[in-house]
Amino acid sequence: MKPKTKIQKEVARLSANLRPISATQIDWAYRHCVEHIGYRTKKGNITCSDCGHEWHSDSGLCDTLEGCTCPKCHAELKVQDTRRRIYKETQNFSVITTCKGYQVIRVAQVRCESRKGEPMRFYCHEVVQRWISPDGKVTDMALLRGFLFCYCDVWALGSDMEVRPHNSLYDDVVARSCAYPKMRILPQLRRNGFKGDFHGISPVRLFKALLSDPRIETLMKGGEIEVMKHFLFNTRTADECWASYLIAKRHKYQIDNLSMWCDYLRMLKKLGQDLRNPKNICPEDFMAAHDNATRKIEAIHEKERAAEQRR
Ligand SMILES: [Zn+2]
Ligand SMILES: [Zn+2]
């Protein structure tokens, strides 16, 4: 796709000048993202998947439990009793970096092919880049997908890294990738509370929210991670309950079960009650108040059904 908007043009230009993923980063992916196997025969001979070296080991059970180290190339191997001679694995790994004011997440596909007795072949191809602007807008660069096959990792590796319309697949590859531990982070993200921990959230999703949603920023800074996650994954609930949440906090109200409390607020709203009044939203006995509201809602439904039948 030809870049059209100003931001797309800028991203395309910056991306073309980005240095390739470094040898150190690729080496890390080789060590950490794919399995390294010691193929073991019945007789106790182990063959290293990395360099192809074969040796005899007598520490059978110990090797199985703790893995072993290849005496030749010193790779840490996971020992498998197998007659299999070929092992293939494909994974994604990501490098989190910055470029000219953008937070960039680069995803590379790594693929290993090992044949027993031969050195492992390892390939690394960058397939997706997500460029997040300081106001949280995401521009996607990617290779072309082979759309002939449905859900397999088939990228057209010869295609160009181009600006492309958003595809949920780009979210998936980021979410399923292991991240290179050395990260470069925009100062805006650090200022908004990011300290290096993703709390199980995909980096693109978290960064985008931290840069564009002041609620997420507030919760992150306050260390209220569980609440942050709940509101991040339930944006509608956040829209409905945020103002009340702040009021409840100000009144030092202890919310034990956030999703139940938001559910309670929705009922209060249906009952026409003021969601900014702490008397309503901070009940002393929460469970009793919740039950009470549930009964009132149920009574309304009952009335409606009766009216329906009389007609
Ligand atoms: Zn022996
Ligand atoms: Zn080896």
Side-chain angles (χ1 to χ4, degrees), residues 9-228:
K9 282 177 190 161
E10 185 180 36
V11 164
R13 186 172 50 80
L14 292 173
S15 170
N17 291 316
L18 216 51
R19 275 190 306 177
I21 289 182
S22 75
T24 317
Q25 291 162 339
I26 293 175
D27 187 61
W28 181 87
Y30 176 71
R31 301 269 156 239
H32 292 88
C33 302
V34 297
E35 205 85 85
H36 299 268
I37 294 174
Y39 301 96
R40 183 170 56 192
T41 61
K42 277 207 184 89
K43 287 182 189 137
N45 286 337
I46 300 180
T47 306
C48 169
S49 71
D50 283 26
C51 69
H53 177 63
E54 184 179 350
W55 74 98
H56 181 82
S57 167
D58 285 318
S59 39
L61 184 64
C62 189
D63 286 343
T64 308
L65 295 175
E66 291 171 16
C68 68
T69 306
C70 170
K72 191 173 161 210
C73 75
H74 309 292
E76 306 266 335
L77 305 172
K78 195 171 138 185
V79 174
Q80 282 186 3
D81 293 301
T82 178
R83 293 175 65 187
R84 200 162 62 160
R85 307 186 59 84
I86 297 175
Y87 177 78
K88 286 182 189 177
E89 187 181 352
T90 303
Q91 295 291 347
N92 296 309
F93 105 99
S94 49
V95 174
I96 295 170
T97 186
T98 55
C99 178
K100 306 276 177 207
Y102 286 88
Q103 182 66 52
V104 188
I105 293 156
R106 310 174 72 175
V107 184
Q109 184 188 67
V110 294
R111 197 156 52 88
C112 74
E113 280 175 29
S114 90
R115 266 160 224 279
K116 190 175 166 181
E118 289 174 25
M120 186 197 270
R121 277 188 275 191
F122 186 76
Y123 308 88
C124 178
H125 266 101
E126 187 166 19
V127 292
V128 173
Q129 292 171 356
R130 322 277 316 263
W131 292 69
I132 309 170
S133 65
D135 58 351
K137 292 208 177 61
V138 184
T139 306
D140 293 319
M141 300 278 299
L143 299 189
L144 198 62
R145 286 284 290 189
F147 287 103
L148 282 177
F149 314 93
C150 48
Y151 199 78
C152 359
D153 279 308
V154 189
W155 293 92
L157 294 178
S159 63
D160 289 327
M161 180 70 74
E162 280 181 20
V163 173
R164 297 189 197 273
H166 177 255
N167 184 323
S168 63
L169 182 94
Y170 305 155
D171 298 324
D172 294 345
V173 292
V174 174
R176 288 188 289 120
S177 67
C178 45
Y180 181 64
K182 278 192 197 150
M183 296 186 263
R184 283 168 66 180
I185 302 294
L186 278 190
Q188 286 93 331
L189 283 166
R190 296 220 183 272
R191 223 179 293 142
N192 292 1
F194 181 72
K195 294 195 184 83
D197 189 346
F198 291 99
H199 304 287
I201 306 162
S202 164
V204 176
R205 190 160 197 176
L206 183 64
F207 289 162
K208 202 176 142 184
L210 270 179
L211 292 171
S212 61
D213 189 340
R215 300 174 299 202
I216 301 301
E217 178 192 337
T218 303
L219 293 169
M220 191 76 165
K221 280 181 183 160
E224 293 173 84
I225 304 306
E226 286 314 306
V227 179
M228 189 266 291

